[in-house]
Amino acid sequence: MRDRPPTAAILGCADGKFVLPAARRGFEVAAVDIDEVALYGGMTKAADGTEIEMPGLRWRLETEQLEQRVSIIRGDLASVQVEPCDFVFISGALQYSYNLKHQLFDTMSHVRSLVAPGGLLAIEYMLPVTEAHAVLDTHPSADQWPSFFPRPEWTVLANRVAEPAHEHRPGASVLGTHRFLQWGYITAQKGVSVS
């Protein structure tokens, strides 16, 4: 029987699309993002360049009275320090332009360290859609993603390619020139070490 709530780290959480559902379901969540406005609110630019106000994750949590379940952490997902969690989730953030300065191998090594023994790591990733993407370290093909989960410590549970129907805001992607991306997702479980 569990004596504590399940824990989750949402890396690249923005203003909480995945944080709020996890907190509503009883997870204690570490919400990590580098974007101060997404976390705390403020002015930002819309896709058409107009200034808009973003309420931010903190406001959304307060509105739903979920702030006690979520720790907001402004930091880089490639180096942030959080206690290992039962569930770690990343939706596309590995391939945002900010993260191009990191080698994906190194980032994945760090991200894997944030998963508790027996825990799950789930990643939604962007697949290369042009030759320019294919040469980037940050855009491995779907069949290359399992190599980031070394056996026997990790077991890949699913690795699928989704339909190319995700519209992406220009400027937020690696090259910022396309509006539709091909997405995949991978889920892996970290083994329980036996002493």
Side-chain angles (χ1 to χ4, degrees):
M1 184 170 159
R2 252 186 126 81
D3 58 355
R4 61 172 179 80
T7 58
I10 311 297
L11 307 180
C13 67
D15 67 343
K17 176 180 178 181
F18 299 105
V19 173
L20 274 78
R24 288 180 198 126
R25 286 166 177 79
F27 280 81
E28 289 184 356
V29 183
V32 178
D33 205 290
I34 199 75
D35 186 338
E36 188 172 9
V37 173
L39 296 176
Y40 303 110
M43 299 304 290
T44 190
K45 287 191 190 253
D48 65 4
T50 59
E51 289 275 323
I52 58 170
E53 186 172 357
M54 176 184 272
L57 174 59
R58 180 171 51 195
W59 178 85
R60 295 184 72 197
L61 292 169
E62 289 170 355
T63 300
E64 293 197 33
Q65 299 179 339
L66 294 170
E67 63 271 25
Q68 297 301 316
R69 292 189 185 154
V70 179
S71 298
I72 297 175
I73 302 166
R74 183 167 183 248
D76 188 332
L77 66 81
S79 59
V80 68
Q81 295 300 313
V82 298
E83 288 295 317
C85 294
D86 301 313
F87 180 65
V88 175
F89 180 69
I90 305 172
S91 179
L94 290 171
Q95 292 137 331
Y96 289 166
S97 56
Y98 177 86
N99 290 314
L100 283 180
K101 65 185 180 184
H102 304 300
Q103 293 293 315
L104 186 58
F105 179 86
D106 296 333
T107 301
M108 283 297 299
S109 178
H110 176 69
V111 167
R112 288 192 311 264
S113 75
L114 304 179
V115 182
L120 297 173
L121 173 55
I123 299 171
E124 290 183 334
Y125 55 83
M126 298 179 221
L127 287 159
V129 291
T130 68
E131 285 186 30
H133 288 117
V135 299
L136 296 171
D137 162 69
T138 53
H139 280 69
S141 63
D143 62 341
Q144 292 172 313
W145 275 94
S147 69
F148 290 102
F149 296 93
R151 295 186 61 82
E153 183 182 14
W154 288 89
T155 301
V156 173
L157 304 174
N159 185 30
R160 306 276 187 272
V161 174
E163 293 297 318
H166 180 84
E167 187 171 349
H168 206 278
R169 186 177 74 212
S173 69
V174 170
L175 301 180
T177 57
H178 55 278
R179 292 190 62 79
F180 292 92
L181 298 173
Q182 178 90 33
W183 285 79
Y185 63 90
I186 190 164
T187 303
Q189 184 170 30
K190 189 174 192 175
V192 180
S193 56
V194 178
S195 302

